[in-house]
Amino acid sequence: MTAIHANPWLASLLASHGSLAAPAVSWVHELRRAALERAHALALPGRSDEAWRFTDLSALYRMAFQVPAAADLPDIASVVAAADASSAGTVLPAGLEIPEAAYRLTFVDGMLEPSLSNGHDQRGIRVISLASVLADAGHPMHDRAQALLGSEASDSDADALATLNMAFLQHGAIVVLERGMRLDAPVHLLFVSSRPDLATHPRLLVMLDQGAEAHLIEEHVARHAGASCVNAVARIRLAAGARLRHARIQSDSQAGFHIARCLVDLARDACYESTSIAMGSRLSRLDLDVHLRGDGAHASLDGLAMIGAGQLADTHTFIDHASPHCTSRQLHKVVLAGNAHGVFNGRILVQPGAQQTDSSQQSRTLLLSGRARIDAKPQLDIFADDVKCAHGATVGQLEADELFYLVSRGIDPAAARRLLTFGFAADVINRLGIGSLEQRLRERVLAQTESLKVGA
């Protein structure tokens, strides 16, 4: 464990806590105060913790970041629209628009930018900033947000990073679909880091009532090449028969740090389909916990981490089969070049009584150099006897036979390696189901295969 007061990162965060705007309602102040008090008593994760033994956060702890204030915001419209020459070497989209999206909330350095957003608050469908809900005790979503945040506070008692997120509770998004509502077009939540040396703590609340359906894109990008820190928390609740497709795209600065936690609860016959893609950050970590609490619930988790020299991408997933007749599928792919380090820990728990569980998990890693490293740990904990469960992990390099086939047909060896690498990664991207986003990410993967220097 790392003492909570023993590093510049935490000291700088705690020092800037007083700059937060005073909450308009007392319970938000109490949540922040209690979380800050717990943060002082907790220890930050370190290599001595089993869940973090492959991921060294000491580089983050040596950094000092400030929490942004509204008065310090740049002209985000120009930041987003302009080509940023300083971002050379980072993986950034040519454009940030997703034409298929029905709603978009854009946050710059953690705070909503209304001029680049088209959220909606109408009967049955609400895609709005969390800050607007927290500030208005009379808002229709205020009580639901309070109940969910209150329950989450107790869930994160032992998680110092999630507790810090709660201590800085202010900005983020809330997406609510009432019973039977269906959004055929996706919701785009865009989080933009416009400048270095800042720490943001975005929070996302998603609640789909019975039979509701939505497609959510959560995207984190940087418009600079410097170091910044994102400490994000998402809480998702799906009622009976609800369905959510959740794409999470992370392409922060390759000098930055990105830590995220997502907790998902599924009721009877609910369906959660997740696709997580990580290409940016010096160090990134995603903890994705999915709890199948009702009969017939289904979860599908697809993931891709594609990183190069000096980068570390860590994905920890937990699928909790707490009820019978539930299914889960997981495919996680990692592409590593240079001295990149990948971590995958996927745990599936089948609890007593969760009979007729059907679960499968696959972890596949492609090593593009002899210096790349992967620590993969698929886990199955089964406490029921009528189940069908399987898991596996493969680690390897590009197939010699496939390379020979392409080269023998006149393709340059380097181009053949890039083509095979692209095919390996694109398999996950093609599952997103949003044409413009898939095309944009395929272009980024092609650019990434050029910069990763396959075989170096």
Side-chain angles (χ1 to χ4, degrees):
M1 290 290 206
T2 301
I4 197 119
H5 301 294
N7 62 82
W9 176 70
L10 190 60
S12 63
L13 290 184
L14 296 179
S16 61
H17 188 270
S19 66
L20 290 179
V25 291
S26 59
W27 67 265
V28 176
H29 172 77
E30 178 57 27
L31 276 182
R32 284 187 193 166
R33 185 206 60 76
L36 189 63
E37 185 175 304
R38 290 198 307 275
H40 281 84
L42 292 171
L44 292 172
R47 294 290 291 274
S48 60
D49 301 302
E50 177 63 24
W52 292 85
R53 66 190 182 101
F54 297 122
T55 302
D56 186 1
L57 291 175
S58 60
L60 171 62
Y61 295 156
R62 290 193 295 268
M63 307 291 289
F65 297 111
Q66 299 298 313
V67 176
D72 300 329
L73 279 181
D75 178 4
I76 185 56
S78 62
V79 171
V80 173
D84 190 346
S86 68
S87 65
T90 64
V91 181
L92 293 173
L96 298 174
E97 293 283 343
I98 297 180
E100 297 94 331
Y103 307 102
R104 182 179 71 244
L105 296 182
T106 300
F107 298 84
V108 54
D109 298 330
M111 286 171 270
L112 180 71
E113 173 51 49
S115 67
L116 297 173
S117 303
N118 63 341
H120 211 72
D121 188 357
Q122 67 180 35
R123 184 175 179 83
I125 299 175
R126 290 181 169 88
V127 181
I128 50 179
S129 76
L130 181 60
S132 66
V133 174
L134 299 182
D136 181 4
H139 194 283
M141 290 294 102
H142 188 89
D143 291 345
R144 294 187 66 171
Q146 181 180 3
L148 187 55
L149 288 167
S151 66
E152 185 178 334
S154 61
D155 291 344
S156 62
D157 275 346
D159 187 329
L161 297 172
T163 298
L164 281 170
N165 180 286
M166 183 69 76
F168 287 88
L169 176 65
Q170 186 173 19
H171 297 292
I174 181 167
V175 178
V176 176
L177 268 68
E178 296 181 5
R179 181 171 180 169
M181 300 302 296
R182 178 175 178 177
L183 270 179
D184 295 321
V187 173
H188 186 199
L189 303 179
L190 177 62
F191 297 87
V192 180
S193 174
S194 74
R195 55 202 171 113
D197 303 323
L198 295 179
T200 58
H201 302 269
R203 181 167 291 265
L204 172 60
L205 302 180
V206 179
M207 291 172 276
L208 302 190
D209 291 344
Q210 183 175 349
E213 297 186 19
H215 198 160
L216 177 67
I217 304 165
E218 178 189 354
E219 186 170 13
H220 298 262
V221 302
R223 305 305 283 181
H224 60 84
S228 57
C229 177
V230 175
N231 179 28
V233 172
R235 185 63 182 265
I236 299 171
R237 283 190 175 176
L238 306 183
R243 177 169 181 167
L244 177 67
R245 299 184 69 182
H246 181 196
R248 191 179 198 282
I249 316 298
Q250 185 272 111
S251 57
D252 284 328
S253 163
Q254 292 185 15
F257 301 86
H258 187 103
I259 298 169
R261 181 169 180 79
C262 180
L263 301 101
V264 186
D265 289 306
L266 279 71
R268 174 180 51 83
D269 295 326
C271 177
Y272 176 71
E273 300 176 356
S274 169
T275 304
S276 301
I277 298 175
M279 295 183 178
S281 297
R282 172 181 176 181
L283 183 153
S284 65
R285 163 85 173 219
L286 171 62
D287 283 271
L288 175 56
D289 294 358
V290 180
H291 299 272
L292 307 173
R293 302 191 189 278
D295 289 16
H298 172 77
S300 175
L301 310 184
D302 296 321
L304 169 66
M306 189 171 185
I307 56 175
Q311 292 181 274
L312 183 152
D314 181 349
T315 301
H316 271 59
T317 64
F318 174 53
I319 303 176
D320 176 18
H321 283 265
S323 295
H325 309 104
C326 294
T327 58
S328 65
R329 299 288 183 268
Q330 182 171 20
L331 171 64
H332 188 77
K333 289 191 169 187
V334 183
V335 181
L336 302 172
N339 63 343
H341 182 190
V343 180
F344 172 72
N345 187 304
R347 182 187 176 206
I348 297 173
L349 170 64
V350 181
Q351 295 195 28
Q355 303 295 351
Q356 297 190 2
T357 287
D358 184 350
S359 179
S360 66
Q361 178 191 81
Q362 288 292 324
S363 168
R364 299 176 185 171
T365 301
L366 179 60
L367 301 177
L368 301 181
S369 87
R371 297 181 295 130
R373 172 188 169 192
I374 179 70
D375 291 291
K377 186 182 179 182
Q379 294 178 255
L380 271 178
D381 296 328
I382 302 175
F383 299 96
D385 52 13
D386 184 9
V387 302
K388 183 169 66 174
C389 297
H391 67 171
T394 62
V395 180
Q397 299 177 328
L398 295 172
E399 291 288 342
D401 289 346
E402 293 176 350
L403 281 172
F404 176 79
Y405 177 86
L406 294 176
V407 172
S408 67
R409 279 151 180 79
I411 299 177
D412 176 78
R417 292 187 183 94
R418 291 193 295 270
L419 183 61
L420 291 174
T421 302
F422 171 80
F424 180 87
D427 178 39
V428 173
I429 292 173
N430 293 340
R431 300 174 183 224
L432 288 167
I434 303 171
S436 65
L437 183 59
E438 289 181 357
Q439 180 60 30
R440 189 215 297 171
L441 289 174
R442 281 193 288 265
E443 292 172 359
R444 285 162 59 183
V445 167
L446 285 172
Q448 192 100 330
T449 57
E450 296 280 351
S451 64
L452 288 181
K453 298 180 180 179
V454 177

